[in-house]
Amino acid sequence: MDTEHTGVEPGALDAYSRVVTGVAASLLPSVAALSVRTARGAGAGSAVTFTDDGFLLTNAHVVAGATGGAADFADGTETKFDVIGADPLSDLAVVRVHHLGAPAAPLGDADQLRIGQLVVAVGNPMGLAGSVTAGVVSGLGRSLPARDGRRVRIIDSVIQTDAALNPGNSGGALADSTGTVVGINTAVAGYGLGLAVPINTTTRTIIGELVATGKVRRAWLGVAGVPTPLPPPLAERLGQKVGLRVVEVVPGSPAGAAGVYLGDILISAGTQPLQTVQALQRLMLSPAIGSNLPITLLRKNALVDVVTVPAELN
């Protein structure tokens, strides 16, 4: 290629190549191609090793309906795996292989990502094992609906990337330039648009529960809200422009028992501002079950404090 006419310096191209090849070299041994067979037929996806004793992360939809399957690694190792636990509401699952030896990939923090940052996807698209693509973070803070039966939850802080993703990439690693896994590829939303479940504080809690118990316990308040602007004087005083207006309180729910009413505007829960539904949703994991959760709300232009005790979601 004539770099004089493209304006691309050879050194810059070499630096980019060194980053991508370095990430590929470090992550390829950790990523497996998964094959599953259920009553609905055969399926395939990817998974990434994250512990030295054989635990791998993948998508819940990759192993849906399966108790196990086969895993193939880049070094030619073929082994069986068991499904340890799956959480459709975060689209994450943990499996464990019978043959140990794959190195654990480091897990990072997607909350530190920036738009435009280089990311590398490693997986097994279209059955092509050990495939690597690269791109940038093209969006942050996206939302992705996930369903478990009649329950629907929004996966928040989803990573959007233009790194090429295809069927079979699901469950594979999305890594930063250091080879640290910041997301688990989950969906192809359109041409040049891929999405990944982030690795962050919330999903680390989910992953830990899947490893420990094979399931994720969630808390429940029994309240639904929509974002609404706060009165300007209060917004200025609190440094918060938006709260959640209560549009539904389930009779007999923890929120109802605590005295939360229709029309109240939820401002904060514990120490966390409530400006989005996802902000409240993030608090509804197992540590909240049976614990006091103070909520500050606005009712008829007055701030009111109530104490809720979230129950376990069945």
Side-chain angles (χ1 to χ4, degrees), residues 97-244:
V97 293
H98 295 185
H99 184 281
L100 306 183
L107 300 184
D109 183 4
D111 291 344
Q112 303 303 313
L113 290 174
R114 298 292 181 266
I115 292 177
Q117 185 172 339
L118 172 66
V119 285
V120 179
V122 181
N124 304 282
M126 313 297 289
L128 302 174
S131 293
V132 177
T133 58
V136 298
V137 174
S138 48
L140 291 168
R142 305 303 194 214
S143 297
L144 182 70
R147 181 180 296 274
D148 182 13
R150 291 183 298 175
R151 290 187 293 170
V152 177
R153 181 180 183 271
I154 299 299
I155 304 173
D156 64 330
S157 301
V158 169
I159 305 163
Q160 176 187 326
T161 177
D162 65 354
L165 300 179
N166 291 288
N169 266 119
S170 289
L174 186 72
D176 64 16
S177 59
T178 68
T180 300
V181 178
V182 291
I184 300 299
N185 300 317
T186 188
V188 181
Y191 180 76
L193 175 60
L195 302 174
V197 177
I199 301 296
N200 56 24
T201 301
T202 301
T203 51
R204 281 177 180 272
T205 300
I206 291 170
I207 294 164
E209 287 202 46
L210 289 174
V211 170
T213 67
K215 64 179 183 178
V216 176
R217 299 172 67 212
R218 283 191 166 82
W220 174 69
L221 272 181
V223 63
V226 296
T228 190
L230 295 177
L234 180 62
E236 183 176 357
R237 178 155 65 94
L238 297 177
Q240 178 179 334
K241 295 182 179 180
V242 176
L244 292 179

Side-chain angles (χ1 to χ4, degrees), residues 234-270:
L234 180 62
E236 183 176 357
R237 178 155 65 94
L238 297 177
Q240 178 179 334
K241 295 182 179 180
V242 176
L244 292 179
R245 181 178 296 278
V246 176
V247 295
E248 181 181 6
V249 180
V250 177
S253 67
V260 177
Y261 302 123
L262 288 176
D264 288 346
I265 299 177
L266 309 182
I267 294 174
S268 64

